[in-house]
Amino acid sequence: MQYFTFLGTGGKNGYREACTYFENEPEEIEIARYLQEVIYKKHADEISEVLVFITPEVKEKTFPELRALLPDVKITEIMLPADVDTEDFVKLLQEHLKQDGEALFDVTHSFRHLPMKFLFALRYAEQMKNTKIRHIYYGMMKYYESAQEECCITDVLNDYETQKISSLLSQFDQSLTAQVADWEGFVTTDQKVELFLQRLADFNEMLELCEFDACLNIAQRITETARSLTKEPDKYFMLLPLTQKISEKLRGVLSHPKTKDQKSAMIRVLLDHHRFQNAVTFTDEFFREELIRTALGNISPKSSMAEVASLLHLPDWLRKDFGYTCSQYIRDSLILGKDYVPPKWYDMESYVPFSDAGVKKIRFVTGNPEAQQTILDFFSEVRNPINHGNTLKNKERLPYLTEKMLSIVDAL
């Protein structure tokens, strides 16, 4: 493990001795002038190299003393340029961080603006080098008028990781995007947070696989996990605003008592978050399923098309792709009145018991010219191009036609 540290001049009189201890080990006190010595002793078995950020003035004033305190340790000097900026730190970290390695940092002994810039740069370098950060230490000095000074070394890694988790939550809130690879290198031992992140990733995966019903099921689990976090507000106060925002968004979908209304709400959420391909694919699937449910009548909204097909005595050619074939027949023969229905579909209604009331409702909802034009335009301008890798001629029409299709489905 590499140990990166900052070294300053210690002011006019240099660094003074202090009672130094780690926050979680207050009774293990070391009298030390440099906290690097204390940190190194704690992790000596793990550290392979100490890398020290210094300036020319530091190299002459305090670095020799630190070097003498660690005579048998491999120490690498990293000279900071004048007026160092974040890009400089990124370049230095790229140069010195080992690929796929582990690192420990302390950001104590230096001008305070340098560690700030360093922490901004650390996130970039961490991703580029795939580094696992084990600790980020900061030594907090406590001053007393008569007693000896104290230095409490605290590990701010959890705060650093929480900031990264907040970024991921914000990313999901804005785009419904989350993948396990985004946080695989995080050092988090909180099972509730990990479970929440995992469920966001599961939701994203089901979107990518176009598993509509699974998305609704996982959305329910996300809201349940978010609710468990709210029971410990002091522990999760930094994450709660975003977890609650995500949960409220999904609860808005799940608050509808009917599965059909939940699906419409979910597609509208996808449109709001520019997940256009998912919205179009789900709308196509949703429209087809509702055509079949309406045409058959008395079909549970929770039954899949495979379950519906299993209840009917169907020939093999129809059973294999029942949802698509049957809905295509309904669309082309009952709604659009097209003449290109394949010959093998001519006796469709002898296998599929359409109800008179269901057929009448479909024709009532879709029989007007506006609805029929919407259906034609949705498939020709949006569904077919986006699902077959063709270019959309008018991108602005996608959300408009999708919303119009949802209005038709809602009326079925």
Side-chain angles (χ1 to χ4, degrees):
M1 179 171 66
Q2 293 176 291
Y3 169 23
F4 289 82
T5 181
F6 286 85
L7 186 62
T9 62
K12 183 178 180 180
N13 299 316
Y15 290 114
R16 299 184 297 276
E17 287 186 342
C19 296
T20 305
Y21 57 89
F22 288 89
E23 185 177 32
N24 59 343
E25 299 173 348
E27 297 179 356
E28 301 293 328
I29 297 173
E30 294 269 356
I31 305 299
R33 193 184 305 274
Y34 294 89
L35 92 165
Q36 287 93 342
E37 181 184 12
V38 180
I39 292 173
Y40 180 80
K41 285 183 179 179
K42 181 177 179 63
H43 298 282
D45 293 339
E46 306 167 78
I47 294 173
S48 58
E49 177 185 17
V50 178
L51 301 98
V52 187
F53 290 101
I54 60 174
T55 63
E57 183 181 4
V58 168
K59 184 171 183 178
E60 290 190 10
K61 186 174 182 181
T62 54
F63 180 72
E65 186 172 2
L66 176 63
R67 189 73 191 82
L69 289 171
L70 302 172
D72 300 322
V73 179
K74 178 184 179 183
I75 296 181
T76 300
E77 306 167 28
I78 304 178
M79 190 64 64
L80 294 174
D83 300 321
V84 62
D85 59 21
T86 302
E87 289 185 1
D88 292 323
F89 275 125
V90 171
K91 293 175 183 176
L92 290 171
L93 286 169
Q94 279 187 291
E95 179 182 350
H96 292 283
L97 273 172
K98 292 181 179 178
Q99 185 71 37
D100 301 321
E102 298 182 354
L104 175 160
F105 301 88
D106 88 70
V107 291
T108 306
H109 288 313
S110 186
F111 294 111
R112 295 302 176 254
H113 73 284
L114 293 183
M116 282 287 289
K117 291 181 178 180
F118 171 76
L119 287 174
F120 289 138
L122 182 56
R123 181 65 182 134
Y124 297 102
E126 177 188 9
Q127 292 177 322
M128 288 183 283
K129 289 289 189 173
N130 193 33
T131 301
K132 291 184 179 180
I133 300 176
R134 293 308 185 193
H135 303 279
I136 301 178
Y137 286 128
Y138 181 77
M140 297 185 294
M141 296 299 298
K142 298 182 179 181
Y143 297 96
Y144 303 96
E145 292 185 2
S146 57
Q148 189 171 24
E149 295 174 355
E150 292 184 7
C151 178
C152 176
I153 303 174
T154 183
D155 192 345
V156 298
L157 180 60
N158 284 339
D159 295 329
Y160 178 74
E161 299 290 0
T162 298
Q163 180 270 328
K164 292 193 292 185
I165 292 172
S166 295
S167 295
L168 289 177
L169 295 180
S170 179
Q171 172 184 296
F172 184 87
D173 178 54
Q174 294 172 18
S175 64
L176 304 181
T177 303
Q179 297 181 353
V180 174
D182 292 335
W183 63 81
E184 277 185 324
F186 287 17
V187 181
T188 173
T189 57
D190 192 299
Q191 293 183 347
K192 285 186 178 181
V193 173
E194 289 182 350
L195 180 60
F196 189 77
L197 292 173
Q198 181 60 55
R199 286 181 170 169
L200 297 185
D202 292 341
F203 182 88
N204 181 83
E205 182 180 7
M206 291 302 100
L207 279 183
E208 297 299 329
L209 296 175
C210 294
E211 295 286 347
F212 203 171
D213 292 323
C215 285
L216 291 175
N217 291 334
I218 296 171
Q220 180 65 50
R221 295 175 195 165
I222 290 173
T223 62
E224 292 169 356
T225 309
R227 193 179 302 118
S228 73
L229 295 174
T230 62
K231 294 178 180 179
E232 299 181 78
D234 293 337
K235 183 176 181 180
Y236 301 111
F237 75 96
M238 292 180 67
L239 299 178
L240 284 182
L242 283 167
T243 59
Q244 289 176 328
K245 191 176 180 183
I246 292 169
S247 178
E248 287 169 7
K249 182 183 306 181
L250 297 177
R251 274 203 303 268
V253 171
L254 300 169
S255 63
H256 298 281
K258 295 182 178 179
T259 303
K260 179 179 175 180
D261 295 331
Q262 291 179 0
K263 289 189 172 183
S264 291
M266 177 63 79
I267 291 171
R268 290 183 170 105
V269 167
L270 294 174
L271 287 174
D272 289 342
H273 292 76
H274 291 191
R275 296 297 296 263
F276 293 136
Q277 182 163 14
N278 294 121
V280 168
T281 302
F282 285 175
T283 300
D284 177 28
E285 175 187 329
F286 189 28
F287 173 66
R288 292 176 181 280
E289 288 188 355
E290 289 307 310
L291 283 180
I292 295 173
R293 293 184 203 283
T294 304
L296 292 176
N298 299 321
I299 298 296
S300 169
K302 295 185 179 181
S303 297
S304 67
M305 288 300 99
E307 291 171 333
V308 173
S310 68
L311 299 174
L312 306 173
H313 299 289
L314 303 175
D316 289 341
W317 66 267
L318 182 53
R319 183 183 296 106
K320 288 178 181 178
D321 202 1
F322 172 74
Y324 175 80
T325 304
C326 186
S327 62
Q328 195 81 352
Y329 172 83
I330 296 171
R331 190 196 73 170
D332 292 346
S333 65
L334 302 183
I335 300 176
L336 302 179
K338 299 295 184 180
D339 297 326
Y340 55 80
V341 174
K344 68 178 180 180
W345 291 4
Y346 288 168
D347 56 351
M348 177 78 69
E349 293 182 49
S350 65
Y351 298 109
V352 183
F354 295 156
S355 73
D356 292 339
V359 171
K360 184 177 180 180
K361 184 175 184 180
I362 290 172
R363 284 177 169 154
F364 174 78
V365 171
T366 65
N368 62 83
E370 181 183 359
Q372 292 188 358
Q373 191 63 50
T374 294
I375 295 169
L376 282 170
D377 291 347
F378 174 78
F379 280 93
S380 63
E381 295 183 29
V382 175
R383 186 270 184 190
N384 292 343
I386 205 167
N387 280 3
H388 296 294
N390 297 325
T391 302
L392 292 175
K393 294 180 180 179
N394 189 343
K395 295 179 181 179
E396 288 71 23
R397 292 268 287 171
L398 186 153
Y400 169 77
L401 287 172
T402 303
E403 185 61 52
K404 294 281 284 184
M405 283 293 291
L406 288 179
S407 297
I408 293 173
V409 175
D410 290 344
L412 287 173

